[in-house]
Amino acid sequence: MSENTEKVYDLRPLVATDMGTICNIISAIGIKEFRNSFNLQDFKGMDVEAVGIGVFFDLAGIVISNIPKAEPEIQAFIASLTGMQLSEVKQMPFADYGELIIQVIMKDDFQDFFKRVMKLFNR
């Protein structure tokens, strides 16, 4: 794959059984890091959509910086989303692996999950 070409992976939609996997990944990364990355007072009264993109970039940074802690769970989740074998995910080129993680985080239904979670904080 050339430097100028980004591979787009076909990701299946998220389903109810992905909830446990996502929770395991968040736990492996450290739920306190997610909580500490947001000052909930900054979000009070704001539209969830307006907050969304910034939150997801923060989440992406947290995930990327903590991949070693959550690597087995992340790789299994990626294998499940792409239909790849776990061994294939583990052997992906470094740049492709990072790009795939970003694709997962930016996936509409992944973002929708976190937007709905953020609504809980606005209540």
Side-chain angles (χ1 to χ4, degrees):
M1 187 158 81
S2 76
E3 289 180 30
N4 299 329
T5 306
E6 290 181 9
K7 186 172 181 179
V8 177
Y9 292 87
D10 185 27
L11 303 174
R12 68 163 173 76
L14 294 177
V15 294
T17 56
D18 292 324
M19 179 73 72
T21 303
I22 292 170
C23 290
N24 285 339
I25 290 169
I26 291 170
S27 293
I29 290 170
I31 193 74
K32 285 185 179 181
E33 288 184 59
F34 276 82
R35 184 180 50 122
N36 292 337
S37 70
F38 307 111
N39 180 351
L40 296 180
Q41 295 301 324
D42 292 343
F43 299 132
K44 292 250 185 232
M46 290 183 70
D47 178 45
V48 174
E49 295 290 327
V51 174
I53 296 299
V55 168
F56 295 112
F57 281 117
D58 288 345
L59 290 176
I62 291 168
V63 169
I64 289 169
S65 69
N66 287 293
I67 284 175
K69 296 176 189 173
E71 193 168 31
E73 291 86 358
I74 291 170
Q75 290 175 346
F77 186 50
I78 287 173
S80 171
L81 288 175
T82 62
M84 297 170 67
Q85 296 295 316
L86 182 57
S87 60
E88 293 175 290
V89 173
K90 289 180 177 184
Q91 296 302 314
M92 289 181 77
F94 184 75
D96 292 352
Y97 182 66
E99 191 62 38
L100 181 53
I101 290 171
I102 292 169
Q103 283 181 301
V104 170
I105 292 169
M106 297 307 292
K107 191 170 169 40
D108 287 341
D109 45 356
F110 191 84
Q111 290 186 16
D112 184 53
F113 168 77
F114 283 99
K115 285 178 188 174
R116 290 170 190 255
V117 169
M118 288 303 296
K119 283 183 183 179
L120 293 174
F121 294 117
N122 280 334
R123 292 184 178 186

